[in-house]
Amino acid sequence: MKIAITSTGQTIDSQVDPRFGRAAYFMIFDTYSMDFSAIENRSIDAAGGAGINSAKAVIDTQAQAVLTGNCGPNAQRTLSAAGVKLYTGVTGTISEAIELFKTGKLTEAAEPNVQSHFGMGT
Amino acid sequence: MFSRTLVWVPEMSDNFTIAVASGKGGTGKTTIAANLASYLTEAGENVRYLDCDVEEPNGHIFLKANITTVENITVDVPQVDLDKCTACGKCGEICQFGAIVCIKEHVMTFEPLCHSCGGCRRICPADAIGKKPVEIGRISVGKAGKIDFVTGKLRIGNVRTPSLIKQVKKHITDDCISIIDVPPGTSCPVVEAIRGVDFVLLVTEPTPFGLNDLKLAVGLVRQLGLPFAVIINRHGIGDERVEQYCQSEDIDIAMKLPDDRKIAEVYSSGGMIVDLLHQCKKHFAELLDYLECAKEKLNEKRRLRI
């Protein structure tokens, strides 16, 4: 399955970006083929709706799970509508996050863990 | 006392809109706007005061208007007919605010983010998007003595400030002087409130904070190409830098209201300083003289344009 991890850079050694809507990149990782690619987040400077549009971008990659630091209510609602699983509170590098996911050490978030606009201006 | 205002020729009465704005909050916009409205009225002018600081209107505290009508203001947000929707996703592509998005077979809307541009409705090839009104706030209209009083109040939690300000400004008519109490700052609500006015008064205080925010406000009014002047409130505190800045930028100072405990006392009890303090009348008379010249210059420009 494909998973999307918010990332500050484009390699698997990059740190997990603590923001979902305004993450620098989404690292798309395929757990079967072990392929990964980084996609740039076009919503990083959006005036509004960054979470929703980021969610839409992630959903379009066919990812079935999102690993991030924090996720607000609009993004959570959008991901949830597409049946994408959400894991918040993830820190460390991309490879560490993938490892945590693969070994089942992450717990799915049922609710957003931050308010709207949490990631703005940081 | 009002004899000097006789030079305010009758034609001045119509069609002049003054916005009282400031970069920094708490500099005295409402004090200036309400007292200017009152002073002009006493001078025999027809005046309409419009409180466009819809997030926290406070003109009513000073003008104590008798409200006669209250209007609910709504804006349209999309309502999707899921039976007609083909999930093509065009609505989500056109929306710049993420207020409507197509996720797989579902179209989701986020009403608080919608700016009511109607783009989704127009682009929908299946004609599946209708409109639904949502209330964003209220506009109260009444009389404060002889002053026509209009005030907008945004619903708590709503962010559609410019939309409501636009509706408040629809109450401007060309048969009187309109005074707009503008929200503080330099963001979208301020742009909406001062757009199209004839003159802007930027109220500031002679402090480093006042100066910093004045510079931002000057940048904004210059960008919008509006004639403006500065009012220094609480003159005497702080330092000379606001005046030095105005001088170096060739900006007129239309009035300097001194830092005076008596003014603060009248203000704190909700009173009008032009009614109760003789010295304030003098300052407002000077402001009126200044505005009269500004209006004359504007008329001159208008004539030249015609």
Side-chain angles (χ1 to χ4, degrees):
Chain A
M1 72 186 279
K2 274 186 182 173
I3 60 172
I5 309 136
T6 55
S7 175
T8 55
Q10 302 183 66
T11 69
I12 56 164
D13 298 321
S14 306
Q15 292 289 311
V16 171
D17 198 314
R19 305 160 302 173
F20 176 73
R22 292 174 195 278
Y25 298 94
F26 297 110
M27 197 70 89
I28 310 298
F29 181 79
D30 191 317
T31 53
Y32 300 124
S33 68
M34 306 288 273
D35 287 340
F36 73 90
S37 60
I39 59 169
E40 214 172 312
N41 183 8
R42 295 194 302 173
S43 303
I44 192 161
D45 292 324
I52 297 159
N53 286 319
S54 292
K56 165 87 173 149
V58 165
I59 292 160
D60 287 347
T61 68
Q62 312 293 324
Q64 288 168 281
V66 164
L67 278 55
T68 186
N70 300 288
C71 182
N74 290 339
Q76 188 265 343
R77 208 185 119 197
T78 312
L79 290 170
S80 158
V84 177
K85 290 190 162 103
L86 173 66
Y87 301 87
T88 54
V90 182
T91 55
T93 64
I94 300 301
S95 53
E96 285 164 359
I98 291 167
E99 200 49 40
L100 287 171
F101 178 77
K102 280 177 156 178
T103 52
K105 285 181 181 147
L106 296 175
T107 327
E108 199 182 335
E111 286 176 356
N113 66 332
V114 289
Q115 289 295 307
S116 292
H117 304 132
F118 169 82
M120 281 188 91
T122 55
Chain B
M1 187 56 224
F2 293 107
S3 59
R4 63 187 307 139
T5 60
L6 289 177
V7 292
W8 185 281
V9 299
E11 65 179 17
M12 295 254 173
S13 218
D14 50 26
N15 201 13
F16 192 48
T17 305
I18 304 162
V20 184
S22 76
K24 185 183 174 300
T27 54
K29 278 179 304 301
T30 302
T31 307
I32 302 294
N35 281 280
L36 180 60
S38 179
Y39 188 83
L40 283 165
T41 310
E42 279 189 56
E45 302 292 341
N46 293 323
V47 177
R48 178 170 288 118
Y49 168 92
L50 304 108
D51 201 339
C52 282
D53 190 1
V54 300
E55 289 175 3
E56 42 187 341
N58 60 354
H60 59 278
I61 296 169
F62 300 98
L63 290 172
K64 300 171 182 70
N66 182 20
I67 300 300
T68 46
T69 56
V70 178
E71 199 185 338
N72 287 343
I73 303 300
T74 60
V75 291
D76 292 327
V77 298
Q79 189 166 36
V80 184
D81 183 342
L82 295 173
D83 293 334
K84 284 191 194 168
C85 176
T86 59
C88 70
K90 284 191 175 143
C91 52
E93 284 162 23
I94 200 173
C95 184
Q96 298 300 299
F97 299 97
I100 187 163
V101 65
C102 184
I103 301 296
K104 295 182 179 172
E105 301 302 303
H106 311 280
V107 169
M108 299 171 77
T109 56
F110 295 82
E111 287 177 11
L113 301 181
C114 176
H115 284 54
S116 303
C117 70
C120 56
R121 216 162 54 232
R122 279 180 208 165
I123 205 154
C124 178
D127 197 23
I129 304 176
K131 51 186 177 182
K132 177 175 83 171
V134 291
E135 193 188 321
I136 57 164
R138 288 178 177 184
I139 293 178
S140 303
V141 180
K143 280 272 190 186
K146 286 180 186 163
I147 303 169
D148 284 314
F149 180 91
V150 184
T151 183
K153 192 173 185 181
L154 196 68
R155 269 182 79 136
I156 291 172
N158 203 290
V159 293
R160 303 291 302 271
T161 317
S163 304
L164 185 58
I165 291 172
K166 197 178 270 181
Q167 295 297 321
V168 174
K169 285 179 78 181
K170 282 194 176 160
H171 288 263
I172 295 173
T173 54
D174 59 9
D175 57 353
C176 68
I177 298 174
S178 299
I179 296 177
I180 298 179
D181 200 344
V182 178
T186 46
S187 60
C188 300
V190 179
V191 175
E192 190 61 58
I194 68 175
R195 196 198 298 271
V197 304
D198 297 314
F199 201 82
V200 182
L201 290 170
L202 294 177
V203 188
T204 189
E205 56 181 35
T207 64
F209 299 113
L211 176 59
N212 180 76
D213 293 356
L214 173 65
K215 285 179 183 168
L216 297 172
V218 166
L220 174 65
V221 291
R222 281 187 171 155
Q223 185 97 32
L224 293 172
L226 297 170
F228 69 100
V230 164
I231 289 178
I232 301 179
N233 191 15
R234 303 187 67 207
H235 186 250
I237 61 164
D239 55 35
E240 303 292 311
R241 279 181 281 178
V242 166
E243 283 172 80
Q244 284 164 4
Y245 165 74
C246 289
Q247 202 174 6
S248 68
E249 290 285 321
D250 202 18
I251 297 166
D252 290 347
I253 297 173
M255 178 166 73
K256 293 178 193 172
L257 203 56
D259 182 46
D260 184 336
R261 188 181 167 91
K262 283 190 200 123
I263 293 176
E265 281 172 7
V266 171
Y267 162 85
S268 302
S269 61
M272 300 292 281
I273 57 174
V274 283
D275 293 345
L276 298 167
L277 300 171
H278 183 73
Q279 48 136 329
C280 287
K281 270 188 186 168
K282 200 182 80 191
H283 289 295
F284 275 85
E286 282 165 17
L287 175 60
L288 212 59
D289 281 349
Y290 179 85
L291 289 170
E292 183 190 320
C293 292
K295 164 94 180 174
E296 200 42 59
K297 275 185 205 162
L298 187 82
N299 281 346
E300 194 62 40
K301 266 192 192 170
R302 279 180 180 163
R303 272 196 292 272
L304 287 174
R305 227 175 279 162
I306 291 162

